[in-house]
Amino acid sequence: EPSSCLLSAIRGSEGLYMVNGPPHFTESTVFPRESGKNCKAYTFSKDGTLFAWGNGEKINVISVTNKGLLHSFDLPKAVCLEFSPKNTVLATWQPYTTSKDDAAGIPNLQLYDVKTGTCLKSFIQKKMQNWCPSWSEDETLCARNVNNEVHFFENNNFNTIANKLHLKKINDFVLSPGPQPYKVAVYVPGSKGAPSFVRLYQYPNFDEPHAALANKSFFKADKVTMLWNKKATAVLVIASTDVDKTGASYYGEQTLHYIATNGESAVVQLPKNGPIYDVVWNSSSTEFCAVYGFMPAKATVFNLKCDPVFDFGTGPRNAAYYSPHGHILVLAGFGNLRGQMEVWDVKKYKLISKPVASDSTYFAWCPDGEHILTATCAPRLRVNNGYKIWHYTGSVLHKYDVPSNAELWQVSWQPFLDGIFPEKAITYQVVPSDVPSEEPKVATAYRPPALRNKPVTNSKLHEEEPPQNMKPQPGNDKPLSKTALKNQRKHEAKKAAKQEARIDKSPDMAPVPTPQSTPRNTISQSTSGDPETDKKIKNLKKKLKAIEQLKEQAAAGKQLEKNQLEKIQKEKALLQELEDLELGI
């Protein structure tokens, strides 16, 4: 069981050290604690076997497996470190500087051979953002964005540019994960009335006029985030403007686009207005989850047709995290929200637990798919720094709070390659823990003095929506087409406006519909969230509609049959039953 040797690394004002993973949580001997406040950066290799850190003088590299020091590089100013996927290269970055004698500046991005410790290449890399070159998983390919074009190197030979992808001003690119054929997504911002676009290419076919696998352009984009799925068949693009022209949001405006390598593309229709907080692919590559809309935010899982599969309703959340195996999804509200997490079983769409990790600034799934790390780190929050290790069923197995005069800067799990930890069956039974559980402090809502001794009325600022399965159930009608959905929304909005108007006109006289007209008003779509109840409601409405028609025929002078008259007499009982069902009695 590899989890017994699973480590987490902790960096803060108390130094840099490692802690053993579940079940012991003792300080690890793999790494003797580096005291002092000078540790600027650390990183594990992708397979977790190497560890590099900087102590303000040197960058050191150790083997985690046999605890030996491999290299020490004199790099007192380095603040970023990264290993290539197969541990061949260590990349380091320090802030860019120029000098009197050297106006072009000193190369500040170094690539070292991990085996020999020699410097393979130095580059000038002015910006810290996207400082690190991107490698393909097998390291055949390595790419960097240089002056708005993408340069490709092959087999870690950095002295020869093997290929260039040149378009007018490439702002960003993302290499696809996984094996060959390699694909690359590039983003070119719009200028002078021309739209921005994202294009997908297959390496090295860049030149022919129709070389692109797919292309999607959009006018509303000041920046984009491009997310490949694991199988490299599609990219999700979150396009954001810095300013929302309508003034509705200080987040700017976001839209979500889907682009597949087979050339298909679509705008993902999000049924609630407002910011897009987070979008994540499931590792299955067939579904993704979006968290969006003004608070309380909605969260929805979509399939590759961009149709909703499951809607989690609304809640205080702004982030989503699939477990490494893709079988559990955590929706959470961090940052300016209170840290509520909802842990969902993805196959059954059932809620497993609802723990609260208040003040969290960091969340990470453990590679074992069983444990979760949450932390409160500086500089995001300067007080109450510390971290917790949870089981997904909601129990805290280990917690550490730094002393009040100290800070925590960074924590992370040691990574493991996929497939090392087998997927385990989901348990709903809370895993026992020795850590005493704290009840999260619930702040009571402010009440003005005039209302303090009066009974609380349950008025909600926002409409809340319950979770609902969006998969077309066998035997149900087909899901609505986009136009039908639009029309239905329009119809619902009109209806709501009418209701509002009626209530506004006669504040003391709430509309009391006469019995005959009731069925007509109740033939709106009401969903109780329980498919059985909905079915009964639908049937009752059908019967009431039939009665309504019979009464109209009788009024027009038609002789009714005995059974038809009996039907009419049942109306009152049916209405009562319907009312009870709709009220959930």
Side-chain angles (χ1 to χ4, degrees):
E1 180 82 347
S3 71
S4 52
C5 57
L6 231 171
L7 300 164
S8 15
I10 290 111
R11 183 174 72 87
S13 59
E14 297 182 288
L16 174 71
Y17 58 100
M18 288 190 197
V19 168
N20 290 310
H24 302 302
F25 308 109
T26 46
E27 191 162 331
S28 167
T29 55
V30 164
F31 180 82
R33 182 186 283 244
E34 173 97 52
S35 304
K37 299 184 179 182
N38 293 329
C39 177
K40 294 264 192 334
Y42 73 74
T43 186
F44 280 103
S45 59
K46 308 279 179 287
D47 63 357
T49 61
L50 301 178
F51 184 74
W53 77 99
N55 57 13
E57 291 163 27
K58 291 181 164 24
I59 296 292
N60 297 316
V61 181
I62 59 165
S63 155
V64 175
T65 26
N66 56 29
K67 307 183 189 181
L69 181 70
L70 302 177
H71 298 291
S72 208
F73 304 109
D74 279 313
L75 291 162
K77 292 183 181 146
V79 289
C80 299
L81 310 170
E82 190 93 38
F83 285 102
S84 64
K86 299 187 79 170
N87 305 348
T88 315
V89 178
L90 172 69
T92 69
W93 183 88
Q94 61 188 48
Y96 168 73
T97 51
T98 52
S99 63
K100 267 207 297 287
D101 324 319
D102 201 344
I106 302 130
N108 58 324
L109 164 60
Q110 264 71 34
L111 302 178
Y112 292 95
D113 183 320
V114 172
K115 256 205 183 78
T116 63
T118 51
C119 184
L120 297 169
K121 187 75 179 171
S122 297
F123 293 108
I124 285 180
Q125 168 65 37
K126 293 185 183 176
K127 289 185 181 162
M128 186 175 183
Q129 197 185 351
N130 298 337
W131 69 271
C132 190
S134 292
W135 277 272
S136 61
E137 226 160 75
D138 58 7
E139 292 190 12
T140 306
L141 216 54
C142 181
R144 9 185 343 244
N145 190 350
V146 183
N147 301 332
N148 303 112
E149 54 182 30
V150 185
H151 291 184
F152 292 88
F153 304 95
E154 292 181 352
N155 303 312
N156 289 322
N157 171 8
F158 296 103
N159 294 316
T160 317
I161 297 172
N163 258 297
K164 283 185 186 180
L165 174 48
H166 179 78
L167 292 167
K168 216 156 106 203
K169 291 237 165 174
I170 292 177
N171 180 296
D172 197 8
F173 77 95
V174 188
L175 216 50
S176 64
Q180 299 189 22
Y182 310 116
K183 297 163 199 132
V184 58
V186 292
Y187 162 57
V188 175
S191 57
K192 298 194 188 85
S196 311
F197 61 82
V198 167
R199 261 181 214 163
L200 311 186
Y201 289 95
Q202 184 165 309
Y203 184 83
N205 317 333
F206 300 144
D207 298 329
E208 305 90 64
H210 301 293
L213 301 171
N215 180 58
K216 179 103 174 98
S217 48
F218 20 76
F219 278 100
K220 291 190 174 179
D222 292 317
K223 56 176 186 288
V224 306
T225 306
M226 297 175 280
L227 308 165
W228 278 101
N229 62 5
K230 203 168 159 186
K231 292 190 175 144
T233 55
V235 175
L236 288 167
V237 178
I238 307 165
S240 323
T241 56
D242 296 331
V243 181
D244 184 341
K245 299 276 195 306
T246 64
S249 167
Y250 51 73
Y251 284 99
E253 253 180 298
Q254 288 93 14
T255 46
L256 180 59
H257 306 264
Y258 167 92
I259 312 174
T261 50
N262 65 4
E264 286 175 8
S265 69
V267 178
V268 183
Q269 301 288 337
L270 300 173
K272 184 173 186 176
N273 289 333
I276 296 173
Y277 306 100
D278 202 3
V279 179
V280 277
W281 279 104
N282 189 328
S283 54
S284 69
S285 296
T286 57
E287 290 183 341
F288 58 92
C289 177
V291 184
Y292 58 94
F294 295 114
M295 286 295 158
K298 271 176 89 73
T300 308
V301 172
F302 295 90
N303 61 16
L304 296 183
K305 291 188 181 135
C306 301
D307 290 331
V309 177
F310 189 85
D311 189 311
F312 295 98
T314 53
R317 50 172 93 108
N318 52 16
Y321 309 92
Y322 276 107
S323 65
H325 304 94
H327 63 326
I328 298 173
L329 172 66
V330 174
L331 301 175
F334 293 140
N336 57 357
L337 296 171
R338 287 193 186 160
Q340 180 184 297
M341 303 190 283
E342 301 161 57
V343 183
W344 287 85
D345 177 334
V346 170
K347 291 201 179 72
K348 296 182 185 157
Y349 284 114
K350 267 175 75 178
L351 189 65
I352 301 168
S353 64
K354 219 173 169 176
V356 175
S358 17
D359 297 338
S360 298
T361 60
Y362 178 78
F363 173 104
W365 271 103
C366 176
D368 67 4
E370 297 263 307
H371 298 92
I372 286 166
L373 174 60
T374 61
T376 305
C377 297
R380 180 79 173 77
L381 281 175
R382 299 263 181 207
V383 291
N384 300 338
N385 283 188
Y387 68 90
K388 289 183 176 135
I389 293 176
W390 310 70
H391 188 268
Y392 66 76
T393 51
S395 40
V396 176
L397 303 180
H398 175 64
K399 112 192 230 299
Y400 176 71
D401 296 319
V402 302
S404 56
N405 58 348
E407 289 182 348
L408 179 66
W409 300 328
Q410 186 184 4
V411 282
S412 56
W413 293 107
Q414 170 190 16
F416 278 80
L417 296 177
D418 289 346
I420 300 232
F421 290 96
E423 180 180 331
K424 290 190 179 155
I426 291 177
T427 168
Y428 284 73
Q429 213 50 52
V430 179
V431 166
S433 160
D434 311 333
V435 179
S437 70
E438 308 158 31
E439 284 306 308
K441 291 187 276 297
V442 177
T444 50
Y446 171 78
R447 305 200 67 205
L451 293 180
R452 284 189 190 158
N453 302 322
K454 304 223 168 105
V456 179
T457 52
N458 208 356
S459 64
K460 287 233 164 106
L461 277 173
H462 306 286
E463 277 302 300
E464 292 190 5
E465 297 174 28
Q468 52 172 326
N469 202 334
M470 311 291 279
K471 269 191 186 145
Q473 300 298 323
N476 265 24
D477 311 338
K478 279 207 179 80
L480 295 174
S481 68
K482 279 187 189 140
T483 13
L485 261 171
K486 225 182 198 164
N487 292 340
Q488 187 189 343
R489 274 193 213 123
K490 267 190 197 156
H491 174 71
E492 280 167 5
K494 262 191 196 154
K495 211 175 81 194
K498 261 192 197 153
Q499 293 268 182
E500 288 287 304
R502 286 217 323 253
I503 291 166
D504 289 347
K505 271 189 213 118
S506 52
D508 340 309
M509 300 269 307
V512 180
T514 49
Q516 285 103 297
S517 66
T518 319
R520 248 189 218 149
N521 292 347
T522 52
I523 302 179
S524 64
Q525 252 338 93
S526 68
T527 50
S528 63
D530 172 23
E532 276 304 300
T533 311
D534 290 348
K535 217 164 158 184
K536 284 182 189 160
I537 290 175
K538 205 170 160 189
N539 285 337
L540 283 170
K541 286 181 179 169
K542 228 173 169 171
K543 285 181 186 167
L544 286 164
K545 199 173 178 184
I547 292 173
E548 188 69 8
Q549 284 166 349
L550 288 175
K551 281 161 75 174
E552 280 169 12
Q553 289 169 7
K558 188 178 171 210
Q559 261 314 118
L560 295 184
E561 302 289 328
K562 188 176 169 213
N563 64 344
Q564 290 177 318
L565 289 166
E566 280 168 2
K567 263 188 194 164
I568 291 177
Q569 281 161 359
K570 286 188 188 147
E571 184 182 33
K572 208 168 174 189
L574 292 176
L575 281 170
Q576 188 54 51
E577 196 182 335
L578 179 65
E579 195 179 332
D580 291 353
L581 277 175
E582 292 198 310
L583 294 173
I585 297 170

